[in-house]
Amino acid sequence: MKSSLQQTRYWRLYLLTIVLGIGGTLQYGIQVSIMTSPAEHIQSFVNQTWLGRYDVPVAESTSTLIWSFMVSTLSLGGLSGTMTCVSLSAKFTRKTCLQINNVVAILAAVIMILSRFMKSFEMILLGRFLYGYNAGLGINLHLMYLGEIAPKRMRGFLALTSSIYLSCGKLLGQVIGLKELMGTEDMWPYLLAVSGLPAIVQFVSLQFFPESPRYLFIDKGDEDGCKKALQWLWQEDDVNLKIELEDMRKERESARVTQTKTMLDVLRDRSVRWQLMAMLIPSSGLQFCGINAIYFYAFDIFREAGVPQEKMHYLALGIGAAEVVTVSACSFLIESAGRKKLLGYGYLLMGVMMSVLTVLLSIKDWYPWLPYFNIALLFSVICIYGLGPSGASMCLPADLFLQIWRPSAFAVGGIVNWAGLFLIGMLFPYVVDGIGQFCFLVFVAYCSFTAAFMLYFIPETKGKSSMEITEDFNKLNFKKRSTGEKETDLFATKL
């Protein structure tokens, strides 16, 4: 009963978490999946526009190139948004950065709606770039804000909500893209503009919430403002607030002897070397775990099992729903099982199951029941992905870095993530053409390496303060050096 009352006390914190998710990773999830359904109508629009301009049909190679750019421009925008995160975070408050980001998404939505009226497919390219910028900046701001408003014991759970919204966004993009809803020739511009609605909701809602407490205290030195924000969000007693404020005070004292770090500092500074690897390998490198290959092969596996073509989209919705359910379930495990085990064993099981799937796809014609077993195996991989890597990968980066490192570290991680998405999108079709289902073996190697890295090297971060986590990683960063040298490196100013 007491625990239930304690949780209800955080209702304002939970409400802010919802608002952050709506304008954060939900937007990214929508953009990842929303282009699939209207693809035929958009390509027809490109052909009609080309014919109207030049009086000749567009060449097939040109049409394919334009479509590829429409899909991959999201990644280029994401890279741009991620790279500007550091400068914007240094110049403006967290809330102001989010508001600027929402304006970008609203502008992109207007451009998408006008594209058909203006008979310009270039406007779709521009809109996709702006959506990518919105997603790249929004993911980093979302994770930073969550990490800065969360109590220590709830940090993992709140950070994991970003994964839940990402999965919900992908499912939402699939649902509203159905031909029964907005996936029609008349509605596709409005389908592409749907991300403007979450941006409007967050833009308005943020007016009623305080600035990030940790940002106020550690970055701006506003202890009174920080305390008021914590009291409003947590509704805690003074004893618990004093503990949290003391932890922030220690972090601020450590930050005062050095400048806010740049991305170059993150890459070359010994004091965050293992934190950087712990972020890049299991979290930012999530694109290389094979989940895109699973989604790519899903329709082939459904077809071999005899699923009618018109029903495949609904079965694909089942995959998206399974990811949402399992990521949500991960939220109940993250604080008990911890990040290390969920990531380590999750990647290990994914590697094992993709190895089995590779073998079974090679012998699928031997037994009539194998295609159905492959469908079950497909859903199993998705469920493991949701319970482990997908859920926990968003929590770990929020734990790893002190305030002075966080914006630049998240930017580095975002660049790796978006570059990985771009490379997978460009190269994966050629890999599939070359080696077929054996492409899974590349991802098996990555999953196996990541599992070993997490289980054998990375310390657990659950239930620890930022300073305690830093002390644990210093044992790895300065394994063979004296305490005095550690302190010098930890607080050295990188010019």
Coordinates of all heavy atoms in Angstrom, one line a residue, residues 178-248:
L178 N -2.4 1.7 -43.2 CA -3.3 0.7 -43.9 C -4.2 1.4 -44.9 O -4.7 2.5 -44.7 CB -4.1 0.0 -42.8 CG -3.4 -0.9 -41.9 CD1 -4.3 -1.4 -40.8 CD2 -2.7 -2.1 -42.6
K179 N -4.5 0.7 -46.0 CA -5.4 1.2 -47.0 C -6.8 1.6 -46.5 O -7.5 2.4 -47.1 CB -5.5 0.3 -48.2 CG -6.0 -1.1 -47.9 CD -6.0 -2.0 -49.1 CE -6.5 -3.4 -48.8 NZ -6.5 -4.3 -49.9
E180 N -7.2 0.9 -45.4 CA -8.5 1.2 -44.8 C -8.5 2.6 -44.1 O -9.6 3.1 -43.8 CB -8.9 0.1 -43.9 CG -9.3 -1.2 -44.5 CD -8.0 -2.1 -44.8 OE1 -6.9 -1.6 -44.5 OE2 -8.2 -3.2 -45.2
L181 N -7.3 3.1 -43.8 CA -7.2 4.4 -43.1 C -6.6 5.5 -44.0 O -7.4 6.1 -44.7 CB -6.4 4.2 -41.8 CG -7.0 3.2 -40.8 CD1 -6.0 3.0 -39.6 CD2 -8.3 3.7 -40.3
M182 N -5.3 5.7 -43.9 CA -4.7 6.8 -44.7 C -3.8 6.3 -45.8 O -3.2 7.2 -46.5 CB -4.0 7.7 -43.7 CG -4.9 8.3 -42.7 SD -4.0 9.5 -41.5 CE -3.7 10.9 -42.6
G183 N -3.7 5.1 -46.0 CA -2.7 4.6 -47.1 C -3.4 4.5 -48.4 O -3.2 3.5 -49.2
T184 N -4.0 5.6 -48.8 CA -4.7 5.7 -50.1 C -4.1 6.8 -51.0 O -3.3 7.6 -50.5 CB -6.2 6.0 -49.9 OG1 -6.4 7.3 -49.3 CG2 -6.9 4.9 -49.0
E185 N -4.5 6.8 -52.3 CA -3.9 7.8 -53.2 C -4.3 9.2 -52.8 O -3.6 10.1 -53.0 CB -4.4 7.4 -54.6 CG -3.7 8.3 -55.7 CD -4.0 7.9 -57.1 OE1 -4.8 6.9 -57.2 OE2 -3.5 8.5 -58.0
D186 N -5.5 9.4 -52.3 CA -6.0 10.7 -51.9 C -5.4 11.2 -50.6 O -5.2 12.4 -50.4 CB -7.5 10.7 -51.8 CG -8.2 10.5 -53.1 OD1 -7.6 10.8 -54.1 OD2 -9.3 9.9 -53.1
M187 N -5.0 10.3 -49.7 CA -4.7 10.6 -48.3 C -3.2 10.6 -48.0 O -2.7 11.1 -47.0 CB -5.4 9.7 -47.3 CG -6.9 9.8 -47.3 SD -7.4 11.4 -46.6 CE -6.9 11.3 -44.9
W188 N -2.3 10.2 -49.0 CA -0.9 10.0 -48.6 C -0.2 11.3 -48.2 O 0.7 11.3 -47.3 CB -0.2 9.3 -49.8 CG 0.0 10.1 -51.0 CD1 -0.7 10.0 -52.2 CD2 1.0 11.1 -51.3 NE1 -0.3 10.9 -53.2 CE2 0.8 11.6 -52.7 CE3 2.0 11.7 -50.6 CZ2 1.5 12.6 -53.2 CZ3 2.8 12.7 -51.2 CH2 2.5 13.1 -52.5
P189 N -0.5 12.5 -48.8 CA 0.1 13.7 -48.2 C -0.2 14.0 -46.8 O 0.7 14.4 -46.0 CB -0.4 14.8 -49.1 CG -0.9 14.2 -50.4 CD -1.4 12.9 -49.9
Y190 N -1.4 13.7 -46.4 CA -1.8 13.9 -45.0 C -1.2 12.8 -44.1 O -0.9 13.1 -42.9 CB -3.3 13.9 -44.9 CG -4.0 14.9 -45.7 CD1 -4.5 14.6 -47.0 CD2 -4.0 16.3 -45.4 CE1 -5.1 15.5 -47.8 CE2 -4.5 17.2 -46.2 CZ -5.1 16.8 -47.4 OH -5.7 17.8 -48.2
L191 N -1.0 11.6 -44.6 CA -0.3 10.6 -43.9 C 1.1 11.0 -43.6 O 1.6 10.8 -42.5 CB -0.3 9.3 -44.7 CG 0.5 8.1 -44.2 CD1 -0.1 7.6 -42.8 CD2 0.5 6.9 -45.2
L192 N 1.8 11.5 -44.6 CA 3.2 12.0 -44.4 C 3.3 13.2 -43.4 O 4.3 13.4 -42.8 CB 3.8 12.3 -45.7 CG 4.0 11.2 -46.7 CD1 4.8 11.7 -47.9 CD2 4.6 10.0 -46.1
A193 N 2.2 13.9 -43.3 CA 2.2 15.1 -42.4 C 1.7 14.8 -41.0 O 1.7 15.7 -40.1 CB 1.2 16.1 -43.0
V194 N 1.4 13.5 -40.7 CA 0.8 13.2 -39.4 C 1.8 13.5 -38.2 O 1.3 13.7 -37.1 CB 0.4 11.7 -39.4 CG1 1.6 10.8 -39.2 CG2 -0.6 11.4 -38.3
S195 N 3.1 13.5 -38.4 CA 4.0 13.8 -37.3 C 3.9 15.3 -36.8 O 4.5 15.6 -35.8 CB 5.5 13.6 -37.8 OG 5.7 12.2 -37.9
G196 N 3.2 16.1 -37.6 CA 3.0 17.5 -37.1 C 2.1 17.5 -35.9 O 2.2 18.4 -35.0
L197 N 1.2 16.5 -35.7 CA 0.2 16.5 -34.6 C 1.0 16.3 -33.3 O 0.7 17.0 -32.3 CB -0.9 15.4 -34.8 CG -1.8 15.7 -36.0 CD1 -2.8 14.6 -36.2 CD2 -2.5 17.0 -35.8
P198 N 1.8 15.2 -33.1 CA 2.6 15.1 -31.9 C 3.4 16.3 -31.5 O 3.6 16.7 -30.4 CB 3.4 13.8 -32.1 CG 2.7 13.1 -33.2 CD 2.1 14.1 -34.1
A199 N 4.0 16.9 -32.6 CA 4.8 18.1 -32.3 C 3.9 19.3 -31.7 O 4.4 20.0 -30.8 CB 5.4 18.6 -33.7
I200 N 2.7 19.4 -32.2 CA 1.8 20.5 -31.7 C 1.5 20.2 -30.3 O 1.5 21.1 -29.4 CB 0.6 20.6 -32.6 CG1 0.9 21.2 -34.0 CG2 -0.5 21.5 -31.9 CD1 -0.2 21.1 -34.9
V201 N 1.2 18.9 -30.0 CA 0.8 18.5 -28.6 C 1.9 18.8 -27.7 O 1.7 19.3 -26.6 CB 0.4 17.0 -28.6 CG1 0.3 16.5 -27.1 CG2 -0.9 16.7 -29.4
Q202 N 3.2 18.4 -28.0 CA 4.3 18.7 -27.1 C 4.6 20.1 -27.0 O 4.9 20.6 -25.9 CB 5.6 17.9 -27.6 CG 6.7 18.0 -26.6 CD 8.0 17.4 -27.0 OE1 8.7 18.0 -27.8 NE2 8.3 16.2 -26.5
F203 N 4.5 20.9 -28.1 CA 4.8 22.3 -28.0 C 3.9 23.0 -27.0 O 4.3 23.9 -26.2 CB 4.6 22.9 -29.4 CG 5.0 24.4 -29.5 CD1 6.3 24.7 -29.9 CD2 4.1 25.4 -29.3 CE1 6.7 26.0 -30.0 CE2 4.5 26.7 -29.4 CZ 5.7 27.0 -29.7
V204 N 2.6 22.7 -27.0 CA 1.6 23.3 -26.1 C 1.8 22.8 -24.7 O 1.8 23.5 -23.7 CB 0.2 23.0 -26.6 CG1 -0.8 23.6 -25.6 CG2 0.0 23.7 -28.0
S205 N 2.0 21.5 -24.5 CA 2.0 20.8 -23.2 C 3.3 21.3 -22.4 O 3.2 21.4 -21.2 CB 2.0 19.3 -23.3 OG 0.9 18.9 -24.0
L206 N 4.4 21.5 -23.1 CA 5.6 21.8 -22.3 C 5.5 23.1 -21.6 O 6.3 23.4 -20.6 CB 6.8 21.9 -23.3 CG 7.4 20.5 -23.7 CD1 8.5 20.7 -24.7 CD2 8.0 19.8 -22.4
Q207 N 4.6 24.0 -21.9 CA 4.4 25.2 -21.2 C 4.1 25.0 -19.8 O 4.3 25.9 -18.9 CB 3.3 26.1 -21.9 CG 3.4 26.2 -23.4 CD 4.7 26.9 -23.9 OE1 5.2 27.8 -23.2 NE2 5.3 26.5 -25.0
F208 N 3.5 23.9 -19.4 CA 3.0 23.6 -18.1 C 4.0 22.9 -17.2 O 3.6 22.5 -16.1 CB 1.6 22.9 -18.2 CG 0.6 23.6 -19.0 CD1 0.4 23.3 -20.3 CD2 -0.1 24.7 -18.5 CE1 -0.5 23.9 -21.1 CE2 -1.0 25.4 -19.2 CZ -1.3 25.0 -20.6
F209 N 5.2 22.6 -17.7 CA 6.1 21.8 -17.0 C 7.4 22.6 -16.7 O 7.8 23.5 -17.5 CB 6.5 20.5 -17.7 CG 5.3 19.5 -17.8 CD1 4.5 19.5 -18.9 CD2 5.0 18.7 -16.8 CE1 3.4 18.7 -19.0 CE2 4.0 17.8 -16.9 CZ 3.2 17.8 -18.0
P210 N 8.1 22.2 -15.6 CA 9.3 23.0 -15.3 C 10.5 22.6 -16.1 O 10.5 21.5 -16.8 CB 9.6 22.6 -13.8 CG 9.0 21.2 -13.7 CD 7.8 21.2 -14.6
E211 N 11.6 23.3 -16.1 CA 12.8 23.0 -16.7 C 13.5 21.8 -16.0 O 13.1 21.5 -14.9 CB 13.7 24.2 -16.7 CG 15.0 24.1 -17.5 CD 14.8 23.7 -18.9 OE1 14.4 24.5 -19.7 OE2 15.1 22.5 -19.2
S212 N 14.4 21.1 -16.7 CA 15.1 20.0 -16.1 C 15.8 20.4 -14.8 O 16.6 21.4 -14.8 CB 16.1 19.5 -17.1 OG 17.2 18.8 -16.5
P213 N 15.6 19.8 -13.7 CA 16.2 20.2 -12.4 C 17.7 20.1 -12.4 O 18.4 21.0 -12.0 CB 15.6 19.2 -11.4 CG 14.4 18.7 -12.0 CD 14.6 18.7 -13.5
R214 N 18.3 19.0 -13.0 CA 19.7 18.8 -13.0 C 20.4 19.9 -13.9 O 21.5 20.4 -13.6 CB 20.1 17.4 -13.5 CG 19.6 16.3 -12.6 CD 20.1 15.0 -13.1 NE 21.6 14.8 -12.9 CZ 22.1 14.4 -11.7 NH1 21.3 14.1 -10.7 NH2 23.4 14.2 -11.6
Y215 N 19.7 20.3 -15.0 CA 20.2 21.3 -15.9 C 20.2 22.7 -15.1 O 21.2 23.4 -15.2 CB 19.3 21.4 -17.1 CG 19.6 22.7 -18.0 CD1 20.7 22.6 -18.9 CD2 18.9 23.8 -17.9 CE1 21.0 23.7 -19.7 CE2 19.2 24.9 -18.6 CZ 20.2 24.9 -19.5 OH 20.5 26.0 -20.3
L216 N 19.2 22.9 -14.4 CA 19.1 24.2 -13.6 C 20.2 24.3 -12.6 O 20.9 25.4 -12.4 CB 17.8 24.3 -12.9 CG 16.5 24.6 -13.8 CD1 15.3 24.5 -13.0 CD2 16.6 25.9 -14.5
F217 N 20.5 23.2 -11.9 CA 21.5 23.2 -10.8 C 22.9 23.1 -11.3 O 23.8 24.0 -11.1 CB 21.2 22.1 -9.8 CG 22.0 22.3 -8.5 CD1 21.8 21.3 -7.5 CD2 22.9 23.3 -8.3 CE1 22.5 21.4 -6.3 CE2 23.6 23.4 -7.1 CZ 23.4 22.5 -6.1
I218 N 23.2 22.1 -12.1 CA 24.6 21.7 -12.5 C 25.1 22.7 -13.6 O 26.2 23.2 -13.5 CB 24.6 20.3 -13.0 CG1 24.3 19.3 -11.8 CG2 26.0 20.0 -13.5 CD1 24.2 17.9 -12.2
D219 N 24.2 23.0 -14.6 CA 24.6 23.9 -15.7 C 24.5 25.3 -15.3 O 25.4 26.2 -15.7 CB 23.8 23.6 -16.9 CG 24.2 22.2 -17.6 OD1 24.8 21.4 -16.8 OD2 24.0 22.1 -18.8
K220 N 23.4 25.7 -14.7 CA 23.1 27.1 -14.4 C 23.4 27.6 -13.0 O 23.3 28.8 -12.7 CB 21.6 27.4 -14.8 CG 21.3 27.2 -16.3 CD 22.2 28.1 -17.2 CE 21.9 27.9 -18.6 NZ 22.8 28.7 -19.5
G221 N 23.6 26.7 -12.1 CA 23.8 27.0 -10.7 C 22.6 27.5 -9.9 O 22.7 28.2 -8.9
D222 N 21.4 27.2 -10.5 CA 20.2 27.7 -9.8 C 19.6 26.7 -8.9 O 18.8 25.9 -9.2 CB 19.1 28.0 -10.9 CG 17.9 28.6 -10.4 OD1 17.8 28.8 -9.2 OD2 16.9 28.9 -11.2
E223 N 20.1 26.6 -7.6 CA 19.7 25.6 -6.7 C 18.3 25.8 -6.3 O 17.6 24.8 -6.1 CB 20.6 25.7 -5.5 CG 20.3 24.5 -4.5 CD 21.3 24.5 -3.3 OE1 22.4 25.2 -3.4 OE2 21.1 23.7 -2.4
D224 N 17.8 27.0 -6.1 CA 16.4 27.2 -5.7 C 15.5 26.8 -6.8 O 14.5 26.1 -6.5 CB 16.2 28.7 -5.4 CG 16.9 29.1 -4.1 OD1 17.2 28.3 -3.3 OD2 17.2 30.3 -4.0
G225 N 15.8 27.1 -8.0 CA 15.0 26.7 -9.2 C 14.9 25.2 -9.3 O 13.9 24.6 -9.6
C226 N 16.1 24.5 -9.1 CA 16.2 23.1 -9.1 C 15.3 22.5 -8.0 O 14.6 21.5 -8.3 CB 17.6 22.7 -8.9 SG 17.9 20.9 -8.7
K227 N 15.4 23.0 -6.8 CA 14.6 22.4 -5.7 C 13.1 22.6 -6.0 O 12.3 21.7 -5.7 CB 15.0 23.2 -4.4 CG 14.4 22.5 -3.2 CD 14.9 23.2 -1.9 CE 14.3 22.5 -0.7 NZ 14.8 23.1 0.6
K228 N 12.7 23.7 -6.5 CA 11.3 23.9 -6.8 C 10.8 22.9 -7.9 O 9.7 22.4 -7.8 CB 11.0 25.4 -7.3 CG 11.2 26.4 -6.2 CD 11.0 27.8 -6.7 CE 11.1 28.8 -5.6 NZ 11.0 30.2 -6.1
A229 N 11.6 22.7 -8.9 CA 11.3 21.8 -10.0 C 11.2 20.4 -9.4 O 10.2 19.6 -9.8 CB 12.3 21.9 -11.1
L230 N 12.1 20.0 -8.6 CA 12.1 18.6 -8.0 C 10.8 18.5 -7.1 O 10.1 17.4 -7.2 CB 13.3 18.4 -7.1 CG 14.6 18.1 -7.9 CD1 15.8 18.0 -6.9 CD2 14.5 16.9 -8.8
Q231 N 10.5 19.5 -6.3 CA 9.3 19.4 -5.4 C 8.1 19.3 -6.3 O 7.1 18.5 -5.9 CB 9.3 20.6 -4.5 CG 10.3 20.6 -3.4 CD 10.3 21.9 -2.6 OE1 10.0 23.0 -3.1 NE2 10.7 21.8 -1.3
W232 N 8.0 20.0 -7.4 CA 6.8 20.0 -8.2 C 6.7 18.6 -8.9 O 5.6 18.1 -9.0 CB 6.9 21.1 -9.3 CG 5.6 21.3 -10.0 CD1 4.6 22.2 -9.6 CD2 5.2 20.7 -11.2 NE1 3.6 22.1 -10.5 CE2 3.9 21.2 -11.5 CE3 5.7 19.8 -12.1 CZ2 3.2 20.8 -12.7 CZ3 5.0 19.4 -13.2 CH2 3.8 19.9 -13.5
L233 N 7.8 18.1 -9.4 CA 7.7 16.8 -10.2 C 7.6 15.6 -9.3 O 6.8 14.7 -9.5 CB 9.0 16.7 -11.0 CG 9.1 17.6 -12.3 CD1 10.5 17.5 -12.8 CD2 8.1 17.1 -13.3
W234 N 8.4 15.6 -8.2 CA 8.4 14.4 -7.4 C 7.5 14.4 -6.2 O 7.1 13.3 -5.7 CB 9.8 14.2 -6.8 CG 10.9 13.9 -7.9 CD1 10.7 13.9 -9.3 CD2 12.3 13.7 -7.7 NE1 11.9 13.7 -9.9 CE2 12.9 13.6 -9.0 CE3 13.1 13.7 -6.6 CZ2 14.2 13.3 -9.1 CZ3 14.4 13.4 -6.7 CH2 15.0 13.3 -8.0
Q235 N 7.2 15.6 -5.7 CA 6.4 15.7 -4.4 C 7.0 14.9 -3.3 O 6.3 14.2 -2.5 CB 4.9 15.4 -4.7 CG 4.3 16.2 -5.8 CD 2.8 15.9 -6.0 OE1 2.0 16.2 -5.1 NE2 2.5 15.3 -7.2
E236 N 8.3 14.9 -3.2 CA 9.1 14.2 -2.2 C 9.2 15.0 -0.9 O 9.0 16.3 -0.9 CB 10.4 13.8 -2.7 CG 10.5 12.7 -3.7 CD 10.6 11.4 -3.1 OE1 10.4 11.2 -1.9 OE2 11.0 10.4 -3.9
D237 N 9.6 14.4 0.2 CA 9.9 15.1 1.4 C 11.3 15.7 1.3 O 12.1 15.4 0.5 CB 9.7 14.2 2.7 CG 10.6 13.0 2.6 OD1 11.8 13.1 2.2 OD2 10.1 11.8 2.8
D238 N 11.6 16.6 2.3 CA 12.8 17.4 2.2 C 14.0 16.5 2.4 O 15.1 16.7 1.8 CB 12.9 18.4 3.3 CG 11.9 19.6 3.0 OD1 11.6 19.7 1.8 OD2 11.5 20.3 3.9
V239 N 13.9 15.3 3.1 CA 15.0 14.4 3.3 C 15.5 13.9 2.0 O 16.7 13.9 1.7 CB 14.7 13.3 4.3 CG1 15.8 12.3 4.4 CG2 14.3 13.9 5.6
N240 N 14.6 13.3 1.2 CA 15.0 12.7 -0.1 C 15.5 13.8 -1.1 O 16.4 13.5 -1.9 CB 13.8 12.0 -0.7 CG 13.4 10.7 0.1 OD1 14.3 10.1 0.6 ND2 12.1 10.4 0.1
L241 N 14.9 14.9 -1.0 CA 15.3 16.0 -1.9 C 16.8 16.4 -1.5 O 17.6 16.7 -2.4 CB 14.4 17.2 -1.8 CG 13.0 17.1 -2.4 CD1 12.2 18.4 -2.3 CD2 13.1 16.7 -3.9
K242 N 17.1 16.5 -0.3 CA 18.4 16.9 0.2 C 19.5 15.9 -0.3 O 20.6 16.2 -0.7 CB 18.5 16.9 1.7 CG 17.9 18.2 2.3 CD 18.0 18.3 3.8 CE 17.3 19.5 4.3 NZ 17.4 19.6 5.8
I243 N 19.1 14.6 -0.3 CA 20.0 13.5 -0.8 C 20.3 13.8 -2.3 O 21.4 13.7 -2.8 CB 19.4 12.1 -0.6 CG1 19.3 11.9 0.9 CG2 20.3 11.1 -1.3 CD1 18.6 10.6 1.3
E244 N 19.2 14.0 -3.1 CA 19.4 14.2 -4.5 C 20.2 15.5 -4.8 O 21.0 15.6 -5.7 CB 18.0 14.3 -5.2 CG 18.0 14.3 -6.7 CD 18.4 12.9 -7.2 OE1 18.2 11.9 -6.5 OE2 18.9 12.9 -8.4
L245 N 19.9 16.6 -4.0 CA 20.6 17.8 -4.2 C 22.1 17.7 -3.9 O 22.9 18.3 -4.5 CB 19.9 18.9 -3.4 CG 18.6 19.4 -3.9 CD1 17.9 20.3 -2.8 CD2 18.7 20.2 -5.2
E246 N 22.4 16.9 -2.9 CA 23.8 16.7 -2.5 C 24.5 16.0 -3.6 O 25.7 16.3 -3.9 CB 23.8 15.9 -1.2 CG 25.2 15.7 -0.6 CD 25.9 17.0 -0.3 OE1 25.3 18.0 0.0 OE2 27.2 17.1 -0.5
D247 N 23.9 15.0 -4.2 CA 24.5 14.3 -5.3 C 24.7 15.3 -6.5 O 25.8 15.2 -7.1 CB 23.6 13.2 -5.8 CG 24.2 12.3 -6.9 OD1 25.3 11.9 -6.7 OD2 23.5 12.2 -8.0
M248 N 23.8 16.1 -6.8 CA 24.0 17.1 -7.8 C 25.1 18.1 -7.5 O 25.9 18.6 -8.3 CB 22.7 17.9 -8.0 CG 21.5 17.1 -8.6 SD 20.1 18.2 -9.0 CE 18.8 17.0 -9.2

